[in-house]
Amino acid sequence: MKKILSALMLCLVSIVNYGQEIKVIESKFPIYQGVVSVEGSANDMYLKARTWFAEAFRSANDVIQMDDATNATIIGKGNTIVGKGLMLARFLFTIKIEGKDGRFRYTISVNDIHPTGGTNSLYNEAINHPKLYENCFAQFEQKVPEYVKQIANTTINNPSDEDW
């Protein structure tokens, strides 16, 4: 069953826009990883990622767990609600952005799943009954390329004195 679910997830991943290859690392919960080519330096990529965290989450200071400008790396924790009808689940995830000149690598790993409106972990149910949560996993997987696209397209405003 896990092999079928993994094969299905791998097929969905290959359809992702941008043409980048997303690698799904085998674990209890999925880990998505890929490299995206962008224009700019490692510092520009770091600033884009930092700006994206600030714009994408209510409180970037609460989300960002590690912030290393020297190595152009930023790690944050987020959550999102996915699902349909009564099968709504809150996915808790970690996102790591590592910038280099002309590219960045992202790693998005699902840490846990909770029912919306409760704090009980759905970890055992999701692992033992993956078919029940297949739609939730598929919807979360669709968010991965959205996040990557948002990070890549984040603009950094550096206004000069003339713009004021």
Side-chain angles (χ1 to χ4, degrees):
M1 187 63 174
K2 288 182 183 179
K3 289 182 181 180
I4 293 171
L5 182 60
S6 295
L8 177 63
M9 291 176 78
L10 209 54
C11 289
L12 291 173
V13 169
S14 65
I15 299 173
V16 175
N17 61 1
Y18 270 137
Q20 85 258 11
E21 183 180 328
I22 299 175
K23 182 172 30 172
V24 179
I25 300 169
E26 193 68 33
S27 72
K28 291 182 180 179
F29 287 128
I31 298 172
Y32 308 93
Q33 192 175 63
V35 176
V36 178
S37 296
V38 292
E39 290 185 23
S41 67
N43 187 54
D44 290 342
M45 197 53 251
Y46 166 77
L47 291 174
K48 280 185 172 200
R50 187 144 175 72
T51 301
W52 177 78
F53 272 105
E55 292 174 350
F57 298 100
R58 288 186 190 148
S59 174
N61 290 333
D62 293 337
V63 170
I64 295 173
Q65 303 294 305
M66 189 195 91
D67 190 356
D68 184 356
T70 306
N71 293 313
T73 300
I74 190 164
I75 300 173
K77 292 192 181 270
N79 69 76
T80 188
I81 296 175
V82 296
K84 192 159 97 175
L86 297 174
M87 292 300 297
L88 289 175
R90 180 178 304 275
F91 275 61
L92 306 174
F93 62 93
T94 302
I95 182 166
K96 179 180 183 181
I97 306 296
E98 300 167 279
K100 294 225 177 197
D101 291 345
R103 65 190 186 280
F104 72 92
R105 178 171 59 187
Y106 64 90
T107 305
I108 300 175
S109 52
V110 176
N111 302 324
D112 204 355
I113 306 169
H114 293 275
T116 59
T119 57
N120 296 334
S121 174
L122 293 177
Y123 179 85
N124 288 331
E125 288 86 349
I127 295 303
N128 296 326
H129 307 290
K131 191 77 171 161
L132 293 174
Y133 296 94
E134 193 171 287
N135 184 43
C136 293
F137 281 110
Q139 285 187 28
F140 182 80
E141 190 165 315
Q142 289 174 357
K143 289 183 175 276
V144 171
E146 291 175 27
Y147 292 151
V148 173
K149 184 177 180 182
Q150 290 170 2
I151 294 166
N153 293 330
T154 297
T155 57
I156 306 165
N157 294 324
N158 294 318
S160 68
D161 291 340
E162 298 170 349
D163 294 337
W164 292 92

